[in-house]
Amino acid sequence: MNDVPLLPILLHPDPILRAKARPVAEGDADLVRALAPRMLATMYKAPGIGLAAPQVGEKLRLVVIDLQPDDTPSPMVLVNPEIVAASEERAVREEGCLSIPGQYADVERPARVKVRWRELDGTRREMEADDLLATCLQHEIDHLDGVMFTDRLGPLKRNMLIKKFLKEQKLKSREAM
Ligand code: K1U
Ligand code: ZN
């Protein structure tokens, strides 16, 4: 994994993060096979537990996830993932985002989801997820629709978090001069 070139992660307010990503088609096979390992390497380096293709500038419905980035790698690559069922029960969990680094907030979402996707070789997959995996899947699939976790916060908390992020970014870019 060390020799795989990393990809720059786009930060809020990049407009690509707000676009709806297009489905991966059969003709994208080579692109997706080259992109997935680079996305995984970028996610591990960040470090993060998930990454969606729009975060690295590709408006494609492709997601990578590994909930145990520090232990034995157990990477998931999800092509065209979709939520096909969501529980009425809701759960609150703290979320972060590699496109708004350093900012965390409690987000309420369905506690359990059923997700369908294809593997890189085209195999159809389906699973039910709860806990952190359910949160991460929903966070990543949101990215494919141009939705950020901050959109799921109340306006007060959202504005405070975005303001703090932009202020910290401004300070960082001044320090780099
Ligand atoms: O999509 C992203 O921006 C990645 C994001 C995924 C996510 C985190 C928490 C809840 C839902 C979705 C991250 O990975 S932020 C970094 C992070 O949470 C983390 C980093 C290292 C170890 C453990 C967690
Ligand atoms: Zn994110």
Side-chain angles (χ1 to χ4, degrees), residues 9 43-44 46-52 55 64 66-70 93-101 103-105 109 132 134-140 143 148-149:
I9 297 177
M43 177 191 76
Y44 288 127
I49 56 170
L51 192 67
Q55 292 181 278
V64 297
D66 190 340
L67 296 189
Q68 274 124 13
D70 299 331
R93 191 177 279 278
E94 187 176 71
E95 297 190 22
C97 183
L98 297 177
S99 296
I100 315 178
Q103 311 302 322
Y104 298 86
R109 299 180 184 270
L132 181 58
T135 301
C136 193
L137 283 163
Q138 291 176 79
H139 179 114
E140 301 309 333
H143 273 306
M148 307 285 285
F149 82 102

Side-chain angles (χ1 to χ4, degrees), residues 37-48:
R38 295 185 70 181
M39 284 175 59
L40 279 165
T42 303
M43 177 191 76
Y44 288 127
K45 182 77 196 324

Side-chain angles (χ1 to χ4, degrees), residues 5-122:
L6 302 180
L7 298 156
I9 297 177
L10 303 183
L11 299 181
H12 169 83
D14 193 299
I16 292 181
L17 294 169
R18 291 314 196 165
K20 192 167 168 73
R22 71 167 175 85
V24 172
E26 278 181 19
D28 296 315
D30 288 347
L31 167 65
V32 164
R33 278 204 196 97
L35 186 58
R38 295 185 70 181
M39 284 175 59
L40 279 165
T42 303
M43 177 191 76
Y44 288 127
K45 182 77 196 324
I49 56 170
L51 192 67
Q55 292 181 278
V56 292
E58 294 288 346
K59 289 191 231 168
L60 271 181
R61 302 189 81 81
L62 175 68
V63 159
V64 297
I65 290 177
D66 190 340
L67 296 189
Q68 274 124 13
D70 299 331
D71 302 333
T72 321
S74 44
M76 294 174 71
V77 176
L78 298 95
V79 176
N80 294 336
E82 46 179 328
I83 294 169
V84 293
S87 64
E88 296 258 313
E89 188 194 336
R90 296 178 71 85
V92 176
R93 191 177 279 278
E94 187 176 71
E95 297 190 22
C97 183
L98 297 177
S99 296
I100 315 178
Q103 311 302 322
Y104 298 86
D106 284 345
V107 180
E108 188 187 309
R109 299 180 184 270
R112 291 175 302 284
V113 286
K114 188 193 272 187
V115 175
R116 242 177 237 158
W117 74 96
R118 282 186 190 266
E119 305 264 15
L120 278 177
D121 66 3

